[in-house]
Amino acid sequence: MTSRAASPGDGGPILRVRDLKKHFPVQRGVLARTVGQVRAVDGVSFEIERGQTLCLVGESGCGKTTVAKTVMRLLEPTSGTVELAGADITKLPEAEMRAHRRRMQMVFQDPYSSLNPHLPAAAIVGEPLTNFGLAKGQALAERTAALLERVGLRADVAKKFPHEFSGGQRQRLGIARALALEPNLIVADEPVSALDVSVQAQVLNLLVDLQEERGLAYLFVSHDLGVVEHIGHRIAVMYLGRIVELAGKAELFDTPLHPYTEALLAAAPLPEPGLRRERLIVQGDVPSPMTPPPGCHFHTRCPHAQERCRVEAPPLMQVKPTHWVACHLRPPGGPLDALPAAAPTPALIASQV
Ligand code: SF4
């Protein structure tokens, strides 16, 4: 692995996000009058240490991809701050962002649509090096060949076009391109969800190897708990634009503290078909982020909801050294035993599987 120059931000978290909000105006009529706001991300805070992976999980529409795009400054935040290696990049003009973009790169869900179909593989992978004036001629060819080889593609694919690759190979191309500038952070948005399960494992293993080799940090967005369990060091669970639980992987999987996390885990496929476990199925759709329920956003589906939950939003509180949860029934320092029994509610059924 090539060495990187030390920077003023070295030592602290590579990424620090504070109270990040991204609201989209909803416009109607010929005059495009603003009639509301979609609160896609509504006050999200987290940090990622160098060489670590934070996974953002949650159902479709919970805001996890919007967080990823806002961190990358592909979307402008409504408020809050994003610090990369100690530098506040939240409002930097594009010209000043350029230097920081080398430090963070993105890998997209659909490698096919994110790769220029008119360029051969070598040009796709080498494009960031050309854009930043870092290599040309023979040096560019050698660095591109090394990147292709590192992600498991033979150098003789350099002249092939994206449509000549399989889905897994295309994602390897996307990863090679993301590595070209030797970033510290890769933001990966559902990078394996479009791939077959066997190919998923290969690409995840590649990402893990690259992390160990290069000290990369990942912000990894996924709806798939199996994938998250494979690659995550810490997991943040999102619901309707907010993080409801954030913990180390083992803690989150072994002792989830938020009812929504419990339901997500219960709904995930069991690793062994013969296993039986208490299953908690949350019913109903996720409410619209344009009109989220007041108080705790989850109260319309939560079996433990109380009057307070309907009016007061629970803040994300630290309940153990590496465990944060946003639930009125999990006060910091309070007992971490079982939640009160589920109140009868049509929003939830309990069953055995
Ligand atoms: Fe359920 Fe209330 Fe906790 Fe929200 S705050 S998860 S509604 S118990």
Side-chain angles (χ1 to χ4, degrees), residues 208-243:
V208 170
D209 290 346
L210 291 169
Q211 179 170 59
E212 288 171 1
E213 181 183 298
R214 299 172 181 238
L216 279 167
Y218 295 131
L219 174 59
F220 193 99
V221 170
S222 179
H223 69 282
D224 186 331
L225 287 167
V227 167
V228 160
E229 191 169 19
H230 191 112
I231 198 163
H233 293 108
R234 294 190 309 144
I235 319 280
V237 179
M238 285 191 70
Y239 187 79
L240 272 182
R242 297 174 180 165
I243 291 177

Coordinates of all heavy atoms in Angstrom, one line a residue, residues 208-243:
V208 N -13.3 -5.6 2.6 CA -12.7 -5.8 3.9 C -11.1 -5.9 3.7 O -10.4 -5.3 4.5 CB -13.2 -7.1 4.5 CG1 -12.4 -7.5 5.7 CG2 -14.7 -7.0 4.9
D209 N -10.7 -6.6 2.7 CA -9.2 -6.7 2.5 C -8.6 -5.3 2.2 O -7.5 -4.9 2.7 CB -8.9 -7.6 1.3 CG -9.2 -9.0 1.6 OD1 -9.4 -9.4 2.7 OD2 -9.3 -9.8 0.6
L210 N -9.3 -4.5 1.4 CA -8.8 -3.2 1.1 C -8.7 -2.3 2.3 O -7.8 -1.5 2.5 CB -9.7 -2.5 0.0 CG -9.6 -3.1 -1.4 CD1 -10.7 -2.6 -2.3 CD2 -8.2 -2.9 -2.0
Q211 N -9.7 -2.5 3.2 CA -9.7 -1.7 4.4 C -8.5 -2.0 5.3 O -7.9 -1.1 5.8 CB -11.0 -2.0 5.2 CG -11.1 -1.2 6.5 CD -12.5 -1.3 7.1 OE1 -13.0 -2.4 7.3 NE2 -13.2 -0.2 7.3
E212 N -8.3 -3.3 5.4 CA -7.1 -3.7 6.3 C -5.8 -3.3 5.7 O -4.9 -2.8 6.4 CB -7.1 -5.2 6.4 CG -8.3 -5.7 7.4 CD -8.5 -7.2 7.4 OE1 -7.7 -7.9 6.7 OE2 -9.4 -7.7 8.1
E213 N -5.7 -3.3 4.4 CA -4.5 -3.0 3.7 C -4.2 -1.5 3.7 O -3.1 -1.0 3.8 CB -4.7 -3.5 2.3 CG -3.6 -3.3 1.3 CD -4.1 -3.9 0.0 OE1 -4.4 -5.1 -0.1 OE2 -4.2 -3.1 -1.0
R214 N -5.3 -0.7 3.5 CA -5.1 0.8 3.3 C -5.6 1.6 4.4 O -5.6 2.9 4.3 CB -5.8 1.2 2.0 CG -5.3 0.5 0.8 CD -6.1 0.7 -0.5 NE -5.4 -0.1 -1.6 CZ -5.0 0.4 -2.7 NH1 -5.2 1.7 -2.9 NH2 -4.4 -0.3 -3.6
G215 N -6.2 1.0 5.5 CA -6.7 1.8 6.6 C -7.9 2.7 6.2 O -8.2 3.7 6.8
L216 N -8.7 2.2 5.2 CA -9.8 2.9 4.7 C -11.0 2.9 5.8 O -11.1 1.9 6.5 CB -10.4 2.2 3.5 CG -9.7 2.5 2.1 CD1 -10.2 1.4 1.1 CD2 -10.1 3.9 1.7
A217 N -11.7 4.0 5.8 CA -13.0 4.0 6.5 C -14.1 3.9 5.5 O -14.0 4.5 4.4 CB -13.1 5.3 7.3
Y218 N -15.2 3.3 6.0 CA -16.4 3.2 5.1 C -17.6 3.7 5.8 O -17.8 3.4 7.0 CB -16.7 1.7 4.7 CG -15.6 1.0 3.9 CD1 -15.2 -0.3 4.3 CD2 -15.2 1.5 2.7 CE1 -14.2 -1.0 3.5 CE2 -14.2 0.8 1.9 CZ -13.8 -0.4 2.4 OH -12.9 -1.1 1.6
L219 N -18.3 4.5 5.1 CA -19.7 4.8 5.5 C -20.5 3.9 4.5 O -20.6 4.1 3.3 CB -20.1 6.3 5.3 CG -21.6 6.6 5.5 CD1 -22.0 6.2 6.9 CD2 -21.8 8.1 5.3
F220 N -21.2 2.9 5.0 CA -21.7 1.8 4.2 C -23.2 1.8 4.4 O -23.7 1.5 5.5 CB -21.1 0.5 4.7 CG -21.3 -0.7 3.7 CD1 -20.3 -1.1 2.8 CD2 -22.5 -1.4 3.7 CE1 -20.5 -2.1 1.9 CE2 -22.7 -2.4 2.8 CZ -21.7 -2.8 2.0
V221 N -23.9 2.1 3.3 CA -25.4 2.1 3.4 C -26.0 0.8 2.9 O -25.6 0.3 1.8 CB -25.9 3.3 2.5 CG1 -27.4 3.2 2.3 CG2 -25.5 4.6 3.1
S222 N -26.8 0.2 3.7 CA -27.4 -1.0 3.2 C -28.8 -1.3 3.9 O -29.0 -0.8 5.1 CB -26.5 -2.2 3.6 OG -27.1 -3.4 3.2
H223 N -29.7 -2.0 3.2 CA -30.9 -2.4 3.9 C -30.8 -3.8 4.4 O -31.7 -4.3 5.0 CB -32.1 -2.3 2.9 CG -32.0 -3.3 1.8 ND1 -31.1 -3.2 0.7 CD2 -32.6 -4.5 1.7 CE1 -31.2 -4.3 0.0 NE2 -32.1 -5.1 0.5
D224 N -29.7 -4.4 4.1 CA -29.5 -5.9 4.3 C -28.7 -6.2 5.6 O -27.5 -5.9 5.6 CB -28.9 -6.5 3.0 CG -28.8 -8.0 3.1 OD1 -28.7 -8.6 4.2 OD2 -28.8 -8.6 2.0
L225 N -29.4 -6.7 6.6 CA -28.6 -6.9 7.8 C -27.5 -8.0 7.7 O -26.5 -8.0 8.4 CB -29.6 -7.3 8.9 CG -30.5 -6.2 9.4 CD1 -31.6 -6.7 10.3 CD2 -29.7 -5.2 10.2
G226 N -27.7 -8.9 6.8 CA -26.7 -9.9 6.6 C -25.4 -9.3 6.0 O -24.3 -9.6 6.5
V227 N -25.6 -8.4 5.1 CA -24.4 -7.7 4.6 C -23.8 -6.8 5.6 O -22.5 -6.8 5.8 CB -24.9 -6.8 3.4 CG1 -23.8 -5.8 3.0 CG2 -25.3 -7.6 2.2
V228 N -24.6 -6.1 6.4 CA -24.1 -5.3 7.5 C -23.3 -6.1 8.5 O -22.2 -5.6 9.0 CB -25.3 -4.5 8.1 CG1 -25.0 -4.0 9.5 CG2 -25.8 -3.4 7.2
E229 N -23.8 -7.2 8.8 CA -23.1 -8.1 9.8 C -21.7 -8.5 9.3 O -20.8 -8.7 10.0 CB -24.0 -9.3 10.1 CG -23.5 -10.1 11.3 CD -24.5 -11.1 11.8 OE1 -25.4 -11.5 11.0 OE2 -24.4 -11.6 12.9
H230 N -21.6 -8.6 8.0 CA -20.4 -9.1 7.4 C -19.3 -8.0 7.4 O -18.1 -8.2 7.7 CB -20.6 -9.4 5.9 CG -19.5 -10.1 5.2 ND1 -19.6 -11.4 4.8 CD2 -18.3 -9.7 4.9 CE1 -18.4 -11.8 4.3 NE2 -17.6 -10.7 4.3
I231 N -19.7 -6.7 7.2 CA -18.7 -5.7 7.0 C -18.6 -4.6 8.1 O -17.6 -3.9 8.2 CB -19.0 -5.0 5.6 CG1 -17.7 -4.3 5.2 CG2 -20.2 -4.1 5.6 CD1 -17.7 -3.9 3.7
G232 N -19.7 -4.5 8.9 CA -19.8 -3.4 9.8 C -18.9 -3.5 11.1 O -18.7 -4.6 11.6
H233 N -18.4 -2.4 11.6 CA -17.8 -2.4 12.9 C -18.9 -1.8 13.9 O -19.1 -2.3 15.0 CB -16.6 -1.5 13.0 CG -15.4 -2.1 12.3 ND1 -15.0 -1.6 11.1 CD2 -14.6 -3.2 12.5 CE1 -13.9 -2.4 10.6 NE2 -13.7 -3.3 11.5
R234 N -19.5 -0.7 13.4 CA -20.6 -0.2 14.2 C -21.8 0.0 13.2 O -21.7 0.1 12.0 CB -20.3 1.2 14.7 CG -19.2 1.1 15.8 CD -19.0 2.4 16.5 NE -18.8 3.5 15.6 CZ -19.3 4.7 15.8 NH1 -20.0 5.0 16.8 NH2 -19.1 5.7 14.9
I235 N -23.0 -0.1 13.8 CA -24.3 0.0 13.0 C -25.1 1.2 13.5 O -25.3 1.3 14.8 CB -25.1 -1.3 13.2 CG1 -24.2 -2.6 13.2 CG2 -26.2 -1.3 12.1 CD1 -23.8 -3.1 11.9
A236 N -25.6 2.0 12.6 CA -26.6 3.0 13.0 C -27.9 2.6 12.3 O -27.9 2.5 11.1 CB -26.1 4.4 12.5
V237 N -29.0 2.5 13.1 CA -30.3 2.2 12.5 C -31.1 3.5 12.3 O -31.2 4.2 13.3 CB -31.0 1.2 13.5 CG1 -32.4 0.9 12.9 CG2 -30.2 -0.1 13.7
M238 N -31.6 3.7 11.1 CA -32.3 4.9 10.9 C -33.8 4.6 10.7 O -34.2 3.5 10.2 CB -31.8 5.6 9.6 CG -30.5 6.3 9.8 SD -30.1 7.3 8.4 CE -31.3 8.6 8.5
Y239 N -34.6 5.5 11.1 CA -36.1 5.4 10.9 C -36.6 6.8 10.7 O -36.4 7.7 11.5 CB -36.8 4.8 12.2 CG -38.3 4.6 11.9 CD1 -38.7 3.4 11.2 CD2 -39.2 5.4 12.4 CE1 -40.0 3.2 11.0 CE2 -40.6 5.2 12.2 CZ -41.0 4.1 11.5 OH -42.3 3.8 11.3
L240 N -37.2 7.0 9.5 CA -37.8 8.3 9.2 C -36.9 9.5 9.4 O -37.2 10.5 10.1 CB -39.1 8.5 9.9 CG -40.4 8.0 9.3 CD1 -41.6 8.3 10.1 CD2 -40.5 8.5 7.9
G241 N -35.7 9.4 8.9 CA -34.8 10.5 8.9 C -33.9 10.7 10.2 O -33.1 11.6 10.3
R242 N -34.1 9.8 11.2 CA -33.4 9.9 12.4 C -32.6 8.6 12.7 O -33.2 7.6 12.4 CB -34.3 10.3 13.6 CG -35.0 11.6 13.5 CD -36.0 11.7 14.7 NE -36.7 13.0 14.6 CZ -37.8 13.2 15.3 NH1 -38.3 12.3 16.1 NH2 -38.4 14.4 15.2
I243 N -31.5 8.7 13.4 CA -30.9 7.5 14.0 C -31.6 7.2 15.3 O -31.7 8.0 16.2 CB -29.4 7.8 14.2 CG1 -28.6 7.9 12.9 CG2 -28.8 6.6 15.0 CD1 -27.2 8.2 13.0

